Amino acid sequence: MNFPDVVAACDAIRDLVPVPEGIEKDDGVTDPTTIAPRRLYVFPRRIGPQQGLSQADLGEYTRDTTVEIRIVLTLGAKGEPRVQRPDRTLSEDLAAGAGAIVKALLEHDSYPAGSGSLWQDLAIVQVLPDFTRNERARGWAVDCRILMPWGDEASSSGTSS
């Protein structure tokens, strides 16, 4: 039985998300210790394996995993938070970036056809304006939740249990 490949799911989501020119897509797949400007971070926040009765045959159990993923888009700060007036243009650019992320995710609520069954469902949980704010970077976060198969139907690239 294979555990879902959460890293591959984060990679796939990172590849789906459009970013403005000059933004680096970070491939660390972990919550960054230091938020850098002009980056897109994608990492898992919570993984919840669950077991339930199959819809097709109530005598069999199925396993799937709910994975919460955070996507953070950062831009370069302009002296914030020390300045008394935050930069409106930066706020507008971050809002537009978060909007593009949400749109791209909603267009891929199931894993793209022909690419296997990495996830079965994707939902937007929340958008967090000014998720991060330091002297170098300001960023918005988008949290989503995916349902991944876990078991014989899971990707063979996951680790065995």
Side-chain angles (χ1 to χ4, degrees), residues 20-145:
E21 187 175 327
I23 300 294
E24 179 183 332
K25 290 186 174 186
D26 185 89
D27 65 355
V29 190
T30 188
D31 194 348
T33 54
T34 303
I35 301 281
R38 306 197 60 72
R39 297 283 194 286
L40 179 80
Y41 300 100
V42 179
F43 52 92
R45 297 280 295 157
R46 287 179 187 79
I47 302 169
Q50 50 199 349
Q51 179 172 296
L53 289 174
S54 168
Q55 293 279 345
D57 180 4
L58 293 179
E60 290 186 19
Y61 283 98
T62 61
R63 291 182 174 91
D64 53 34
T65 302
T66 300
V67 180
E68 294 181 19
I69 295 176
R70 177 160 287 164
I71 300 127
V72 178
L73 174 67
T74 66
L75 299 176
K78 298 179 181 176
E80 298 180 34
R82 293 187 307 259
V83 296
Q84 292 189 3
R85 292 192 103 199
D87 186 276
R88 180 179 176 90
T89 304
L90 187 54
S91 297
E92 291 170 348
D93 291 346
L94 285 166
I101 290 169
V102 167
K103 181 179 182 211
L105 293 175
L106 291 175
E107 290 172 353
H108 295 92
D109 62 345
S110 60
Y111 195 68
S115 301
S117 59
L118 199 50
W119 66 77
Q120 298 163 341
D121 187 36
L122 182 149
I124 304 298
V125 175
Q126 63 185 347
V127 176
L128 302 165
D130 283 337
F131 166 75
T132 186
R133 187 179 211 165
N134 63 40
E135 61 280 347
R136 294 179 51 219
R138 225 175 109 193
W140 283 33
V142 176
D143 288 345
C144 68
R145 183 178 300 129

